[in-house]
Amino acid sequence: MKPDTCLLAGFLALCFPLLSWTAAFSRHEVWSSMVTQLEFDNIANVSAFLLDRESGILYLGARDAILAVDTTNKLKFPKIVWNVPEEKSRSCVTKGKTEADCNNYIRLLEFLGDGRIYACGTYAFDPQCAFVNISTFTLEKSEDGTEKMETGKGKCPFEPSQHYTSVMAGGTLYTATTSNFLGTLFDISRATGIEQERIRTERSINWLSDPEFVGSAFIQEDEKSNPTGEDDKIYFFFTEVAKEYDLYTKVKVPRVARVCKSDIGGMKTLQRRWTTFLKAQLVCEDRGSGQRFNILTDVFTKQHRPGDPSSTHFYGIFTSQWEREEMSAVCVYSLEEITKVMDGPFKELKKSCENWMNPEPVPTPRPGQCLNSALKAEGFDSSLKLPDKVLTFMRDHPLMENSVVSAPLLVRSGVTYTKLAVTLAPASNSKLNTTVLHLGTDHGELHRIAVVGPNATVLQEIPLFPPSEPINNILLYKGQALVSSPKSLVKLPTEGCSLYPTCEVCARARPLGCVWKQKEDACSLAITEPGEVMNPEDLVSRCGQSDNHCSTEIQKLYVVEGLHVLLPCVQVSPRPCHWRYPSQRHIRRRLSDLEVRVTLESNGTYECFCEGVGREQPACPGAVYTLLLQSPSASLSIMQTSGRQFVAGYLLFFIFGFAICGLLVCLFHRRRKRRGGGHSSSTSEKGRDLLPSSDTPQSPSSASLFSEAIPFAEKRNGTLNGHGGHVPELKCGYIYANSSGLKLQDTSVNLAEEFPGRERPGPEEEEERIGDGLSEMGDTLVGLEEEFAKLHVLRGAPLAQCEESSI
């Protein structure tokens, strides 16, 4: 056998199992459900959302493009390309901006009501607005054939990542954004309409102090339920640096600001400025722990009674400036509570003592008040007619003394929520409504959480996008949720008991009117008798859990040092879950779950307690785990079967097989030289031609190495596979190695036929010579094994015993 043939055979024999092992661990788990996903080609940074609720067409603003999608038929229209000229992009780069930021990021899409869409983009740090013809889905052109554009300053931010919000009220655009290239000036303004009525906030830190705008809402009064003739109002939500707190660091606070739709500024004081701008602090505080969440990240507006503006509630996502751990909370504020605070006392800073105090007296008519029937009766039918003393007071006192306070509906650790949408459903056998929170995370997941009174239950956690794609929009439409990331869009149902595939999850969805039916093996709407009360705990117990409320099953987990173990715990209340565990620092919270890095001190019991309404922790844990650390010998055994040791073992066999193969080839040539030294090379070639081709292929393929045409020798009862327990003829073999040991595959060679004219030695002499050769080879193998044992990387993977080897 040629040396290269031996080497090829050994290499394939060793690598083939390794490739199979690698493929076995290559699996891709796909979450399959009622989700329709739509990806866009060459589209990135999808940010603006605009839905036509009559036709179901969704318009999307992205980088250098505007898209339209028919959500009903899942059809995509040709996109509108609106990019920046090359010379303008180069000019933007020369001003110190990156090439990526010097594109046109569409940040604003609003219907104008005349068959057009008003679209605004950053346009290489020079905001511009254009008009989209809905019927043709094209940008309107000027007479010279270029896009018809107008300045977008004050309507759209300069930078793609700047915080921004806008709302259309009666065909007029109201925005909250930056108004200069550097991003240091901030305005809340009426951005369109009559030029004389385009007003904005005063450039004062008392009005806006480094704000981060989050959301806005237009509240239109109902003519039938508005006896006082109150004006329509626009609300803005943002986080800013508080000037009323004199601390060693900047303190951020969430705010709500209000302006009136009919406000057109003052005559002398506050010209082209808001005369009705008032703001108040939002407080989202867990009264049980005293923890306050002070950074607002998103707001969703919801009317609890459709058609009644007074029933409007604002749901907000909050995080904490002071917490190192990821944590999110959801608080809700009613329009009634905000109005009450706006009608309360003003906050004032007395320069003499540097303390905030309530100013006295407040002039008449009340500063910041929207026009109503009473003011019009007094002759104040326009903000231009307000007295200077009222406007001066308004300019110096935009902040209210009282705060709008709320307790969290939900607090979760280890997660950052980015977007929020809310649906309401009547609770089963209860006067309270069930609030379903649809929360998007910064890791591309959608969480559904049901809130009934003080209790919150996690219904679903659905991965929609890769972890690198945060959810940046959630829009609810006809029982569907349209959810987007910067690169793609999905549609999935938001209502219906069929969303909950298991009995346990269906039992948690009982407040939504769902019940698990054993016959159908499905979750469906509950049909109950009048006055029947169904306890969710009893429903869960029917799914196979214990009826005893406190009989939590203890789960034993056998672990080894160095592993990372995730202990799950289901959160069932708006307040966070707490863990009791052995004193150690090798832990990390992931949502309500606990990740443990196993060390020598990890033995013990881990208990999860999810708080209810009261301050005290519940007596019964929601989950109990016992970690049992195995002995070092067991640990070593497990580690030897890990991937790293698996590869090291194959490396050992490969090197060992290569060495033995070379040794056998050398022994073969040495014996041939000893037996046939007096013959010429032509004689040797002649002798080789006499070998049967079926027994000694000159260039075997990789497939032939494992076929039945080449028999494998086996060692049985301490002898090589032969005839009568003896080795009949000299055999040259190659090494075949696997995890069980080493094998010699041999091909018979008759020396008498190969070298004619020479007398074949007797059986005893031949057996003695072969025994000497095998003994010499055995000594070499022992020496090689001792040398390999000294290598650090190959330790822990001992050679298998030859007697135990098998194919």
Side-chain angles (χ1 to χ4, degrees), residues 13 16 24 43 47 144 168 202 212 291 293 321 336 354 373 426 437 460 487 506-507 639 722 749 779 790 805:
F16 184 79
I43 293 296
S47 57
D144 58 357
M168 190 70 76
E202 183 79 358
E212 296 178 358
Q291 184 175 19
F293 302 90
Q321 178 184 0
E336 182 181 358
E354 295 294 327
S373 301
L437 307 177
Q460 288 178 321
K487 295 182 180 180
C506 183
M639 293 301 293
V749 180
D779 295 338
K790 298 178 181 179
S805 61

Side-chain angles (χ1 to χ4, degrees), residues 107 156-166 176-178 186-187 210-215 237-239 252 295-298:
R107 300 294 305 274
C156 177
F158 284 71
E159 189 175 350
S161 61
Q162 285 175 343
H163 296 274
Y164 160 77
T165 183
S166 66
T177 183
T178 55
F186 306 91
D187 285 329
D210 196 15
E212 296 178 358
F213 300 111
V214 173
F237 298 86
F238 54 95
T239 301
K252 294 184 177 182
I295 297 179
L296 180 65
T297 59
D298 189 46

Side-chain angles (χ1 to χ4, degrees), residues 240-260:
E240 69 172 354
V241 177
K243 307 306 295 183
E244 64 267 30
Y245 300 124
D246 186 14
L247 298 177
Y248 67 95
T249 186
K250 292 182 179 180
V251 179
K252 294 184 177 182
V253 294
R255 306 281 201 200
V256 54
R258 186 193 74 183
V259 295
C260 301

Side-chain angles (χ1 to χ4, degrees), residues 480-500:
Q480 303 287 327
L482 303 173
V483 185
S484 79
S485 73
K487 295 182 180 180
S488 55
L489 170 73
V490 300
K491 183 179 73 170
L492 67 162
T494 61
E495 301 173 355
C497 298
S498 59
L499 296 175
Y500 313 111

